[in-house]
Every structure is written in C-alpha cells, then in structure tokens.
Amino acid sequence: MDEALSEIEFLSRSENRVLVLERLAENRYTRGELGKETDASQATLGRILEDFTERSWIRHDGTEYVATATGRLVADSVTDLLESLETETKLREIIDYLPTHAMDFDLEHLSDATITVPTQTRPSAPLREVLAVMEDATHLRVFSHAFNEQSIEIVERRVRTGAQTFEAVLSESAITAIANNETLWEQLQSVGSADDGRLRVRTDGVPLAATLTNETVIFLLRDGRGLVQASLASTNDRVYQWAVETHDHYWRTAAPFDPDQYDVTVS
C-alpha cells in the first residue's frame, strides 16, 4: 500500500503529470503536440515522459508517445479519483442537509449539479431558484415533505389558468401544516380539484423535497428545524431518471387527496 500511496503522491504533485497521462491514454501524441496540449515547457515535459517511461506507463512509438495498458489503467483510476474528490468538495458544505439515505444513485452523478446557498444579500436564493423553475414549467412533478406558500400560490395560479399541469405527492405532515392556514388550504383544494392538478398524500412520509421539470431535478434542502439551507439542481440523466422512478413509486404508494379527511383548524 505504501508503494501505491507513493505513486499517488507522485502524480498529485504535478497537474501536468496527470494531464499528460490522461492525454496519452486517449490518443497518440508527439512531444511537440503534448506541449501544445498541456502548455508545459519542453524541459518539464521531458522529465514527465522520462518518469512515465521508467514506470512503463507510456512507450515511445517512432515520433509519438502512447500509453501502455497499465498507463491507461492508472489514468482511468486517477481520473475517477479526481472526479470523486471534486464532487465531494462541491457537496461538502451541504452534505449535512442532503438526505443521502433516500437517494438511490451514486453521488458522482451530482458532479455537474448547481448548488445555491443563502447569502447575506440573497438569503432566500435557494427557494427563489425553485420558484423560478415552477413559474416557467408547463408540466411539473413534485414529491416533498413540505410545500411553502410561494410554491402553492404559483402552482394554484398556473394550474387554474391552464398554464401548467401538476402532479404532486406530499407527505401527510405537509398537508396537515397547510390545512392550518385558510388561504393556503383553499389554494391547495383549488389545485386538487382542477383538471390539470393531481395530488396524492403519502402517510409513510416523503424524506426529501424534489421538483421535476424539463429534464431537470431540483432538490430543496432543509436543516433539522425545517429552514431552507440550499437548493441543488441537476440535469444528469441518471439523477433525473431516479427522480422520475421515485415519483412514480411514491405516487403508487400514496392515497388520493381528500380534503374531507382533514380536521381544518384555520389560523
């Protein structure tokens, strides 16, 4: 293991080493072409090529260099490690709010996700990202353990005017919270009774909040107090497919929304 760690350290000390090995794992290059690809000086490039040749990671074939089978193995492994670390670094500030136990896909699929967190000048930035998507969507799917007043207002208005179709699975706790506000309760009933609005309630709960539209999934992340801490938007195909399948599962295991089942205490 010490030898393997030493080789990782050897590669990690130079971005040029990683870049040269990745390029040669993809194609053949002359030394001059590698210089243009990497912007490394010829002296630096010479040392890298010599070190790689000694390790049998590359071979010199006429005027060109190319990775060997073991060189390609190392290049692939290093690329995977770098991508994993880049994703981890990106998710580090929000990992405490990410319900990973309910997300049945590799976190590496979130490498290209857009994360929005509150700032002093834009404390509601994460929620606004979600609301903007909801405002523009012609077909919207949601599964969530909470449904805030801004979201309900947008959905009710757009569904009522025929600008949007809406399918949502909400936790029973979310429905109960809405039932305690007269305005929100009326709006939710309006959505549920509209031709383009379909609501179902899941008594087993919904462990996370997701909005699906236009091949995009947006997660709204809350802390233990229910306060929004971040939004995470992904256009990754695997993440979107997971979200579609999860919505379908929650939909099948939920009951139709029936307002008469709830004791409404108006505040």
Side-chain angles (χ1 to χ4, degrees), residues 13 18 23 25 31 53 71 91 121 128 146 185 228 233 250 255:
R13 285 202 308 264
V18 175
R23 290 293 183 271
R31 183 163 167 168
T53 301
L91 297 177
T121 56
R128 290 189 178 278
W185 186 240
V228 174
Y250 287 156

Side-chain angles (χ1 to χ4, degrees), residues 84-266:
S84 295
L85 289 174
E86 287 171 356
T87 302
E88 187 279 331
T89 301
K90 187 174 190 176
L91 297 177
R92 187 177 298 172
E93 65 177 325
I94 65 166
I95 194 64
D96 288 343
Y97 316 119
L98 201 62
T100 53
H101 64 283
M103 304 172 81
D104 189 20
F105 58 82
D106 291 334
L107 291 184
E108 65 185 25
H109 296 308
L110 295 176
S111 60
D112 295 329
T114 300
I115 298 172
T116 304
V117 297
T119 65
Q120 284 189 328
T121 56
R122 298 184 69 228
S124 61
L127 179 57
R128 290 189 178 278
E129 291 292 320
V130 178
L131 296 177
V133 168
M134 299 181 82
E135 187 70 67
D136 291 338
T138 56
H139 179 57
L140 195 64
R141 283 179 286 186
V142 167
F143 53 90
S144 182
H145 49 69
F147 205 37
N148 61 69
E149 59 181 323
Q150 297 100 317
S151 298
I152 296 176
E153 189 278 326
I154 290 173
V155 169
E156 193 278 332
R157 170 170 44 80
R158 289 182 60 77
V159 168
R160 174 169 41 80
T161 58
Q164 183 180 93
T165 59
F166 181 68
E167 295 178 295
V169 183
L170 301 177
S171 67
E172 194 161 45
S173 60
I175 299 293
T176 301
I178 294 169
N180 289 326
N181 182 292
E182 182 177 12
T183 301
L184 300 184
W185 186 240
E186 290 178 354
Q187 290 175 333
L188 190 68
Q189 291 182 85
S190 174
V191 172
S193 63
D195 291 338
D196 292 330
R198 301 174 66 198
L199 293 175
R200 293 180 74 85
V201 184
R202 196 165 190 267
T203 55
D204 289 340
V206 181
L208 69 172
T211 300
L212 294 72
T213 184
N214 299 331
E215 308 300 314
T216 299
V217 185
I218 300 185
F219 300 99
L220 199 58
L221 309 180
R222 292 177 168 84
D223 62 18
R225 298 168 296 170
L227 301 178
V228 174
Q229 296 296 332
S231 65
L232 187 152
S234 174
T235 57
N236 179 275
D237 291 341
R238 180 66 188 88
V239 176
Y240 184 78
Q241 187 58 40
W242 169 86
V244 170
E245 293 171 359
T246 301
H247 183 276
D248 290 345
H249 168 69
Y250 287 156
W251 188 267
R252 292 192 305 270
T253 56
F257 171 59
D258 181 2
D260 293 335
Q261 291 183 355
Y262 296 87
D263 293 327
V264 179
T265 303
V266 175

Side-chain angles (χ1 to χ4, degrees), residues 10-86:
F10 162 74
L11 278 171
S12 66
R13 285 202 308 264
S14 168
E15 184 177 348
N16 284 326
R17 287 173 184 162
V18 175
L19 190 55
V20 168
L21 190 58
E22 287 180 337
R23 290 293 183 271
L24 292 178
E26 296 168 354
N27 208 343
R28 295 170 173 264
Y29 287 93
T30 66
R31 183 163 167 168
E33 290 170 340
L34 281 173
K36 293 178 181 178
E37 283 284 320
T38 63
D39 288 331
S41 69
Q42 285 301 307
T44 297
L45 201 53
R47 289 193 297 271
I48 292 173
L49 294 174
E50 182 178 350
D51 288 338
F52 285 178
T53 301
E54 288 179 358
R55 286 170 167 78
S56 297
W57 291 352
I58 65 170
R59 60 185 174 85
H60 198 190
D61 187 10
T63 61
E64 297 176 320
Y65 291 88
V66 63
T68 62
T70 52
R72 290 193 296 274
L73 174 64
V74 172
D76 289 344
S77 300
V78 169
T79 299
D80 289 343
L81 177 60
L82 287 173
E83 289 177 351
S84 295
L85 289 174
E86 287 171 356

